[in-house]
Amino acid sequence: MYSANRLKLGLFGANCSSGRAVTMVPERWSGSWADCMRLAQMADRAGIEFILPIGRWKGYGGDTDYQGETLETVTWACGLLAKTERLTVFGTVHAPLIAPLIAAKQFVTADHIGEGRFGLNLVCGWNEGEFEMFGATLREHEARYDYAQEWLDVVKLAWSERADFDFDGRFIKLKGVRAKPKPHGGTRPLIMNAGASPTGQAFAIRNCDALFSTISRGISFDETADHVRNVRSLARQAGREIGVYTVGVVTCRPTAKEARDYYRHCVVDNADWAAVDNILAMKNVTPQMHSPEEFQRIRDHQANGMGGLPLVGDPDEVARVMARLAEAGLAGIAVSFVNYLDELPHFCAEVLPRLARAGLRQAPPLTP
């Protein structure tokens, strides 16, 4: 991602109203184009490597209609690439919802706008209600990845083949395909995936440059290190290299007490519990399946950035946890905030220099 930093950093979920925090506090993220553009330019100046959107088509309801307003991710990426200089901007795309040749052309267009800075976050699909909006069928789990493999094979052929080609797959059959221009500068966009199942991880290892893995509260750093080693070992056996990334939810304040107090205010006292329960019900997580204490723990975790790893504390604590994640072998972390524009300046001014002193990043080029 045009960076030599050992620990790469990105921003996650800013294209959606409320971002990743399922909260009702009035300062929650707007998700507006104007705010996204300001945020991307701020991150670009600060040396943040990437910005990653969520592919969302329908909100989760609740009092806030959580993530009910979202910007489509490829056109969003085109706009941000035109307004930044170094930032890698991803588009998040559901493979079954768009024809692969149209997608390949969109990605090449974005890549030319950004002069090689576009990235593809490929989603195979899980939200049945969203698929019904498109009249699309959500295939059973294994078949989703079989289809995605053909889809991605077509996209990569469109990026690389100089001559016309045919494609005769189980799901996709194409004749006389011609695709010009090719990606910018003779390269191709970065590809990431967040498959969690063995099938999903195998797909990412086979095809992608980055695998996003969720590290929940309670999972030890040793377990994280084992996971990273296993993924990278499997990739090397296949003759490939892959970076393993995770998702963090940052609440950083000058003191640990301020951080904990604000975290409780947003994520516990003012969570949009109706939206949280809607999300969990979609995953078949209900009170009948867990003890009251365990169900509330799951609800709390979901309210905090859709289950991302909580990074709560003063700058020393946040930087210390990030450093331990890097020691476990993670290549990078995509972070979110309750309000990205309000909170990113403090993070860049206080946490980034600490990561630089730890040898994980170069000093930020500019303050945001």
Side-chain angles (χ1 to χ4, degrees), residues 232-245:
R232 295 178 68 181
S233 173
L234 290 171
R236 289 190 182 115
Q237 289 173 31
R240 304 191 70 251
E241 292 290 336
I242 191 168
V244 183
Y245 289 67

Side-chain angles (χ1 to χ4, degrees), residues 3 5 9 42-49 86 352 361 364-366:
S3 162
N5 289 328
L9 295 175
M42 180 185 291
D44 198 36
R45 292 192 298 270
I48 300 292
E49 277 87 358
R86 295 175 293 273
L352 293 190
R361 296 181 61 81
L366 292 171

Side-chain angles (χ1 to χ4, degrees), residues 64-87:
T64 62
D65 187 22
Y66 175 64
Q67 291 187 348
E69 295 187 16
T70 61
L71 297 174
E72 189 281 320
T73 67
V74 178
T75 45
W76 177 87
C78 288
L80 296 183
L81 287 165
K83 294 288 187 178
T84 55
E85 297 178 0
R86 295 175 293 273
L87 191 69

